[in-house]
Amino acid sequence: MDGTATGEGATLGTLLRTIRLDRGMTQEQLGDATGLSVRSIRDLERGVSCPRVSTLRLLTQTWNLPEAQVAELHRLARSWRDRARRRQRRGGAD
């Protein structure tokens, strides 16, 4: 990832932040509940990093999300990873 929040990264990050706030959690509280660093949570929410499948699983279990929302988070993350791979194959151009 190039550190730029675009497309799926920004959308995924916005959704993660919205869910966290809907649960009434600070980034620090989410970090305590999941073992993730505040920096990692901040980067996910800003859309500058893409969560691993295991991280998404940890977040969705912590929040006890409904299956539809879990599926949407995984779809956004998969789409972002696919887009990043295509960029890498083209030499970083988007």
Side-chain angles (χ1 to χ4, degrees), residues 1-86:
M1 314 297 148
D2 64 3
T4 306
T6 60
E8 290 83 4
T11 303
L12 176 60
T14 299
L15 182 54
L16 290 170
R17 182 175 190 274
T18 299
I19 294 168
R20 176 180 58 79
L21 292 174
D22 285 348
R23 297 298 192 275
M25 298 180 87
T26 65
Q27 290 177 339
E28 291 80 9
Q29 290 168 329
L30 181 58
D32 290 343
T34 61
L36 297 171
S37 70
V38 171
R39 180 179 179 178
S40 293
I41 294 166
R42 184 176 58 239
D43 286 350
L44 291 172
E45 291 182 358
R46 288 176 44 224
V48 298
S49 66
C50 187
R52 296 178 180 191
V53 172
S54 59
T55 301
L56 275 180
R57 187 176 311 116
L58 180 63
L59 291 169
T60 60
Q61 289 172 347
T62 299
W63 290 325
N64 195 28
L65 295 179
E67 284 302 313
Q69 212 164 21
V70 171
E72 178 65 4
L73 286 170
H74 281 278
R75 184 193 68 77
L76 288 169
R78 188 171 38 255
S79 178
W80 189 22
R81 282 187 212 100
D82 290 346
R83 185 176 172 150
R85 284 186 196 111
R86 285 191 302 270

